[in-house]
């Protein structure tokens, strides 16, 4: 922090910068590669996930900070007092250490994989026969589709595509004049070539091209070479004010903006190895980045191929290298032979993904598409699977004469193109598709089925914490409630009616709706616990916490003696345990096999607890700039199931870390003789069976440390 920055020390005593908090979260993802309880190829996947996360962080968050630094250089972050430039400086200082840790873990994991017959090979490691095989493959499959480029006075610098790979070479002509050569590595190339022998021996496409780069530039001499990749600002704006006088279809606008994403300014240059200062200077000038934006990374610069490796493994070897496949269970409290609609009408149902199958909801939607009494289906869609059963069912329902209204959010980052395609298909099938609110992304997850009843219209409403995406339902932990409550159904009806006319100020009896309803309600609920003092209790499970007003209210709760338990997977701008400020706040973060994605708000204890499911994290964007929904859970059995989930996660010592007052994290592992893994517990015990409705008994070690008391106090 510059010495001339004027900061009120008290204002930031219990908060931290969101970007640096996110980097600490991503470090926890990377550290899963160091957990030998994970199979070797799963450990490699965590390195790939870390890399993909970091790519998106640069494209979106760093890109946004660049824009803010240009437009509003004195604007300060309200959690740390840092300007955009100061935040960028903090990021640049943090990244090299993360890359060094990544390189160390990658080397360790690759050694373990090699012992088991999985090897990423250099050309020099191949046998003479294999080198001939690879050369033949290169000549017939790679050479015909690559296009080497020499950059000079007669060859203007090409545009380097965002996150594409290039083989870069420092060239010299016959007179010794230097220049730069580039070989774009086509995305259509298979990412690796498999060799015979072992379990899975392979050589990557960029490795083959880099080996042959000296033969690709004719009379030019290759002095040195490396693989490079450019990351560009991808934070394209969908500001409706830019188009307020335009009659152009919103879907066309989004399509045009997507084309700009690949041509925005460069914010990072990655290089596969150390190179000479002269070569580096030429590359930075070519890409237009500063030295602090250049990172040397000996790991593969694009690790998406890692997820393809598992498909190449023989079944006999997969068990030792990957997690055992997990098959979601059918919930015990739903009869598979009976109508799902009729069962929901008799009582609320809760699904906990990926431990519960998504099939009951798919069956519910399918029944509604065919049921003669169903009048309409209305649904919000943020992200769909590339092959979506839900979308096809909606199309079938429309073809059956049902009124289908789809509130499709075309601005879901990096899913825009997929959503544009689905919106066309849905419209062609007869669905009415609307594209969200002016200036507000619709991130809510709600589906309303309206039926013709004997005396009045009836409703079945589904509200979830995650997307209508069958692929992520198998990888993310999410919750979905299905209810026939008239009050919830009437609120849902009002919600869709308001969305159709751009009314963000609707009134609702049960549902909390942002941008106007969730933050104020959460603050009021916190205030209720503040009034109870030491008898108050708050437990919140979300993905991120950044909203300053909520943070300040939680700090007030801590100062009043309220116990505040927070389960926050990623960004957490509130610092726990700060003397006089947040001493009664405890922050747990879980990074495990499945991505923690569910949001649960709990205020109070036992039978008096008020429990909500929500699509919203406690972030400024979710609470003030998005359309989100939080739904109360009144059914006692369902509330007990949610409280059990919270208690299990607070007990976790296998995959959990706790935040210290300085914003760093400490693993809980070692606090029990046998680490307790909440996700393993959820795989082994259903939330719907009788036994899990009671909190798990604390172990002797927990009793000694007091961990169980902190984790379970107030839930039951």
């Amino acid at each position: 922090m510059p010495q001339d920055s004027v900061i009120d020390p008290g204002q930031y005593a219990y908060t931290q910068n969101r970007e640096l908090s996110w980097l600490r979260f991503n470090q926890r993802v990377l550290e899963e590669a160091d957990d030998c309880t994970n199979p070797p190829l799963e450990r490699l996947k965590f390195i790939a996930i870390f890399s993909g996360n970091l790519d998106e962080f640069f494209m979106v968050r760093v890109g946004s900070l660049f824009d803010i630094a240009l437009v509003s250089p004195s604007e300060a972050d309200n959690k740390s007092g840092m300007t955009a430039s100061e935040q960028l400086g903090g990021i640049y200082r943090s990244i090299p250490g993360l890359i060094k840790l990544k390189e160390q873990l990658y080397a360790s994991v690759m050694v373990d994989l090699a012992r088991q017959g999985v090897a990423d090979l250099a050309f020099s490691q191949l046998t003479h026969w294999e080198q001939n095989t690879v050369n033949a493959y290169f000549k017939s499959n790679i050479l015909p589709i690559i296009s080497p480029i020499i950059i000079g006075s007669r060859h203007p610098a090409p545009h380097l595509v965002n996150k594409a790979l290039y083989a870069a070479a420092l060239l010299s002509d016959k007179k010794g004049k230097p220049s730069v050569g580039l070989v774009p590595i086509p995305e259509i190339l298979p990412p690796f070539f498999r060799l015979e022998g072992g379990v899975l021996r392979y050589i990557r496409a960029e490795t083959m091209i880099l080996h042959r780069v000296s033969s690709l530039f004719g009379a030019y001499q290759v002095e040195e070479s490396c693989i490079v990749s450019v990351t560009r600002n991808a934070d394209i704006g969908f500001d409706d004010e830019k188009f307020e006088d335009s009659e152009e279809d919103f879907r066309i606008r989004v399509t045009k903006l997507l084309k700009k994403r690949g041509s925005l300014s460069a914010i990072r240059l990655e290089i596969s190895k150390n190179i000479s200062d002269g070569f580096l200077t030429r590359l930075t000038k070519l890409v237009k980045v500063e030295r602090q934006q250049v990172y040397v990374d000996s790991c593969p610069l694009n690790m998406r191929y890692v997820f393809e490796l598992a498909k190449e493994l023989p079944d006999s070897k997969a068990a030792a290298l990957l997690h055992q496949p997990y098959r979601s269970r059918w919930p015990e409290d739903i009869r598979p032979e009976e109508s799902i609609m009729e069962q929901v009408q008799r009582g609320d149902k809760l699904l906990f993904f990926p431990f519960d199958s998504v099939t009951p909801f798919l069956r519910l939607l399918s029944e509604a598409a065919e049921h003669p009494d169903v009048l309409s289906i209305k649904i919000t869609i943020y992200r769909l699977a590339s092959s979506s059963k839900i979308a096809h069912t909606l199309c079938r329902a429309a073809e059956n004469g049902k009124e289908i209204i789809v509130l499709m959010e075309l601005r879901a980052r990096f899913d825009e193109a997929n959503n544009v395609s689905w919106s066309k298909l849905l419209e062609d099938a007869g669905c009415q598709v609307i594209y969200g609110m002016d200036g507000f992304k619709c991130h809510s997850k709600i589906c309303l089925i309206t039926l013709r009843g004997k005396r009045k219209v009836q409703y079945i409403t589904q509200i979830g914490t995650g997307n209508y995406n069958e692929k992520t339902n198998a990888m993310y932990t999410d919750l979905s409630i299905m209810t026939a409550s008239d009050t919830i159904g009437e609120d849902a009806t009002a919600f869709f009616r308001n969305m159709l006319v751009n009314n963000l100020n609707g009134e609702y009896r049960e549902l909390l709706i942002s941008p106007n309803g969730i933050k104020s309600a959460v603050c009021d609920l916190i205030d209720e616990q503040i009034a109870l003092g030491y008898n108050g209790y708050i437990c919140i499970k979300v993905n991120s916490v950044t909203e300053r007003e909520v943070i300040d209210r939680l700090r007030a709760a801590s100062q009043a003696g309220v116990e505040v338990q927070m389960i926050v997977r990623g960004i957490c701008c509130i610092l726990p345990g700060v003397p006089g400020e947040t001493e009664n706040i405890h922050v747990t973060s879980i990074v495990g096999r499945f991505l923690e994605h569910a949001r649960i708000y709990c205020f109070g204890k036992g039978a008096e607890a008020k429990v909500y499911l929500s699509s919203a994290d406690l972030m400024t964007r979710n609470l003030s700039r998005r359309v989100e929904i939080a739904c109360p859970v009144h059914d006692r059995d369902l509330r007990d199931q949610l409280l059990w989930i919270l208690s299990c996660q607070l007990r976790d010592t296998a995959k959990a870390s706790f935040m210290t007052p300085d914003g760093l994290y400490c693993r809980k592992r070692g606090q029990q003789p046998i680490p307790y893994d909440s996700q393993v517990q959820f795989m082994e015990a259903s939330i719907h069976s009788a036994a899990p409705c009671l909190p798990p008994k604390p172990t002797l070690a927990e009793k000694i440390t007091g961990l169980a008391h902190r984790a379970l106090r107030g839930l039951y």
Side-chain angles (χ1 to χ4, degrees):
M1 191 77 63
Q3 293 182 353
D4 57 355
S5 295
V6 179
I7 294 176
D8 173 11
Q11 184 179 357
Y12 309 119
Y14 55 93
T15 54
Q16 65 173 331
N17 177 258
R18 63 164 287 170
E19 317 305 347
L20 301 182
S21 176
W22 184 90
L23 289 173
R24 288 166 179 165
F25 152 68
N26 206 32
Q27 179 174 338
R28 297 196 300 282
V29 173
L30 180 59
E31 287 169 352
E32 281 298 301
D34 196 31
D35 185 346
C36 292
T37 64
N38 294 317
L41 196 49
E42 300 290 352
R43 292 167 61 198
L44 187 62
K45 286 183 183 179
F46 275 110
I47 298 174
I49 293 168
F50 165 86
S51 299
N53 287 348
L54 197 59
D55 291 344
E56 185 171 335
F57 176 75
F58 268 93
M59 285 188 277
V60 177
R61 295 305 308 168
V62 175
S64 177
L65 287 172
F66 260 94
D67 294 340
I68 294 171
L70 291 172
V71 175
S72 185
S74 62
E75 181 180 337
D77 165 45
N78 68 359
K79 270 82 68 178
S80 65
M82 301 168 71
T83 65
S85 294
E86 290 168 337
Q87 292 177 68
L88 287 169
I91 291 167
Y92 294 144
R93 288 190 295 272
S94 299
I95 297 298
L98 291 174
I99 293 176
K100 183 177 181 180
L101 177 60
K102 172 189 171 185
E103 291 176 323
Q104 292 170 348
L105 292 175
Y106 178 80
S108 174
V109 170
M110 295 310 294
V111 168
D112 287 349
L113 284 169
R115 290 193 188 106
Q116 301 198 48
V118 177
D120 180 357
L121 300 168
F123 192 83
S124 60
Q125 294 175 293
L126 306 181
T127 66
H128 179 71
W129 183 85
E130 288 174 335
Q131 290 180 352
N132 290 337
T133 302
V134 168
N135 285 333
Y137 175 81
F138 178 88
K139 184 176 181 179
S140 60
N141 293 276
I142 297 179
L143 189 59
I145 62 172
I146 57 175
S147 302
I149 304 165
I150 298 175
I151 301 166
S153 58
R154 297 183 181 181
H155 302 85
H159 172 75
L160 272 64
V161 176
N162 182 40
K163 280 306 299 177
L165 296 180
Y166 296 82
L170 179 63
L171 308 175
S172 59
D173 60 16
K174 293 179 179 179
K175 297 180 180 179
K177 184 178 180 181
S179 57
V180 172
L182 291 176
V183 184
I185 300 175
E187 287 195 7
I188 59 172
L189 271 180
F192 56 86
F193 175 64
R194 184 170 182 175
L195 296 157
E196 295 182 2
V199 174
L200 178 55
R201 300 170 69 251
Y202 61 93
I203 183 169
R204 286 179 280 121
E206 63 265 36
T207 304
M208 291 184 276
I209 292 173
L210 195 62
H211 174 71
R212 294 292 298 269
V213 74
S214 60
S215 65
L216 300 178
F217 292 100
Y220 284 85
Q221 177 73 30
V222 174
E223 304 296 338
E224 52 183 314
S225 61
C226 62
I227 300 296
V228 301
S229 180
V230 173
T231 308
R232 296 188 178 277
N233 181 356
D235 191 30
I236 56 175
F238 293 100
D239 185 357
D240 289 328
E241 292 181 3
K242 296 176 183 177
F243 305 99
E244 60 185 359
D245 297 323
S246 173
E247 297 181 358
E248 189 175 48
D249 182 88
F250 186 67
R251 186 166 59 200
I252 297 174
R253 295 184 219 161
V254 172
T255 302
K256 288 182 176 180
L257 282 169
L258 284 175
K259 294 178 180 178
K260 294 183 178 180
R261 177 169 280 161
S263 60
L264 295 178
S265 59
I267 53 175
R268 178 178 61 163
L269 172 63
E270 295 174 280
I271 301 176
S272 63
K273 62 181 181 180
N274 287 310
I275 56 177
S276 67
D277 192 66
F279 190 14
L280 178 58
T281 298
R282 290 179 178 275
L283 289 176
T284 56
K285 287 182 178 179
L286 171 65
V287 178
K288 296 182 175 63
V289 293
E290 303 294 331
R291 287 291 180 99
Q292 63 181 354
Q293 296 171 273
V294 179
Y295 300 98
V296 177
D297 188 347
S298 62
C299 303
L301 299 186
N302 188 327
M303 295 190 68
R304 288 196 298 266
Y305 74 92
V306 168
F307 300 95
E308 298 298 316
L309 293 177
K311 300 175 184 178
E312 298 288 329
L313 287 177
D315 293 340
S316 60
K317 299 295 182 180
L321 297 171
L322 296 166
H323 285 307
Q324 291 296 311
Y326 178 71
R327 185 174 181 180
S328 301
R329 65 173 71 88
W330 182 274
E332 292 88 339
D333 61 348
I334 298 178
R335 296 179 179 273
E337 70 277 6
E338 290 186 18
S339 163
I340 307 298
M341 290 177 60
E342 291 177 5
Q343 292 182 73
V344 173
Q345 287 174 320
R346 293 198 298 267
D348 295 353
K349 303 297 180 185
L350 182 69
L351 300 177
F352 185 23
F353 308 133
F355 315 104
D356 291 335
S357 170
V358 71
T359 303
F361 172 69
L362 298 177
R363 282 260 305 271
L364 173 73
L365 206 60
S366 184
E367 286 178 24
E370 304 291 340
H371 200 289
D373 290 337
V374 169
L375 303 172
S376 67
I377 302 173
K378 301 172 185 177
I379 190 170
T380 59
I381 290 177
Y382 195 74
R383 300 186 194 276
L384 285 172
S386 56
S387 177
S388 173
K389 295 178 182 178
I390 291 171
H392 286 298
T393 301
L394 294 172
C395 292
R396 177 160 53 88
E399 291 163 358
N400 288 341
K402 315 296 182 187
E403 180 190 38
I404 307 300
I405 295 178
V406 179
L407 202 168
M408 173 76 78
E409 182 50 77
L410 295 185
R411 297 164 291 188
R413 185 173 283 120
F414 303 121
D415 266 354
E416 299 96 342
N418 187 48
N419 285 3
V420 166
S421 297
W422 277 118
S423 69
K424 294 175 182 177
L425 185 146
L426 290 162
E427 282 185 347
D428 290 345
C431 302
Q432 181 181 349
V433 181
I434 57 177
Y435 300 127
M437 308 301 101
D438 294 340
F440 294 84
K441 283 187 180 182
C442 185
H443 189 251
S444 54
K445 282 79 178 172
I446 182 170
C447 177
L448 173 65
I449 299 167
T450 306
L451 304 93
R452 184 189 300 107
K454 292 182 179 179
R455 295 189 180 91
K456 62 176 183 177
V457 169
Q458 298 176 340
Y459 308 100
I460 293 177
T461 310
Q462 179 274 338
I463 295 174
T465 66
N467 296 303
Y468 296 107
N469 185 320
E470 300 95 317
K471 181 178 179 180
T472 55
N473 288 153
M475 299 186 294
Y476 296 2
T477 71
D478 269 309
L479 291 153
S480 171
I481 188 170
M482 299 178 288
T483 178
S485 163
D486 285 340
T487 307
I488 297 294
E490 289 164 2
D491 275 1
T493 300
F495 169 81
F496 280 102
R497 183 170 59 246
N498 289 328
M499 295 303 103
L500 285 167
V501 296
N502 284 321
N503 177 22
L504 296 173
N505 300 306
E507 295 184 359
Y508 306 92
R509 294 165 62 189
E510 292 270 16
L511 297 180
L512 308 178
I513 311 291
S514 71
N516 298 316
I518 296 181
K519 183 169 74 171
S520 59
V522 167
C523 288
D524 289 344
L525 290 162
I526 294 172
D527 286 344
E528 289 179 7
Q529 298 307 305
I530 290 175
L532 297 175
Y534 287 96
N535 292 319
Y537 183 83
I538 298 169
C539 186
I540 294 175
K541 173 178 168 58
V542 288
N543 300 320
S544 300
V545 179
T546 69
E547 169 52 42
R548 182 79 207 207
E549 186 174 345
V550 173
I551 288 172
D552 290 343
R553 203 65 62 96
L554 289 170
R555 172 242 197 172
S558 174
Q559 291 177 319
V562 177
E563 181 181 359
V564 181
Q565 291 284 356
M566 306 190 71
I567 306 168
V568 185
R569 183 195 78 215
I571 300 167
C572 185
C573 290
I574 190 167
L575 296 173
V578 177
E581 306 284 359
T582 57
E583 288 171 296
N584 293 308
I585 295 177
H586 313 276
V587 177
T588 295
S589 177
I590 296 173
V591 177
R593 173 175 176 175
F594 303 112
L595 181 79
E596 292 290 338
H597 194 254
R599 291 96 166 183
I600 307 171
Y601 311 156
C602 173
F603 302 92
K605 304 176 182 179
E608 302 301 318
K610 296 179 180 178
V611 182
Y612 292 80
L613 296 183
S614 181
S615 61
D617 292 314
L618 299 183
M619 303 181 74
T620 302
R621 71 180 188 191
N622 297 89
L623 302 181
S624 301
R625 298 195 295 271
R626 286 185 173 184
V627 179
E628 305 270 12
I629 290 180
C631 176
V633 179
H634 298 303
D635 182 278
R636 178 61 191 179
D637 289 340
L638 270 55
R639 283 172 5 106
D640 283 351
Q641 291 169 16
L642 294 174
L643 296 179
W644 183 71
I645 291 170
L646 294 176
S647 69
C648 288
Q649 297 230 288
L650 290 170
R651 280 189 72 214
D652 195 307
T653 55
K655 298 297 182 180
S657 302
F658 63 87
M659 185 191 290
T660 55
D662 57 3
L664 301 177
Y665 284 84
C666 181
R667 291 295 292 261
K668 290 184 179 181
R669 184 181 295 277
Q671 295 187 8
Q672 287 180 325
I674 301 176
Y676 178 87
D677 190 325
S678 59
Q679 292 189 357
V680 170
Q681 176 71 43
F682 299 145
M683 286 190 282
E684 293 177 350
S686 168
I687 63 169
H688 309 282
S689 59
C693 287
L694 296 175
K697 293 181 180 180
T699 65
L700 178 62
E702 286 178 318
K703 291 177 181 177
I704 294 172
T705 61
L707 177 63
H709 172 72
R710 294 198 305 274
L712 304 177
R713 176 188 166 212
L715 284 176
Y716 290 85

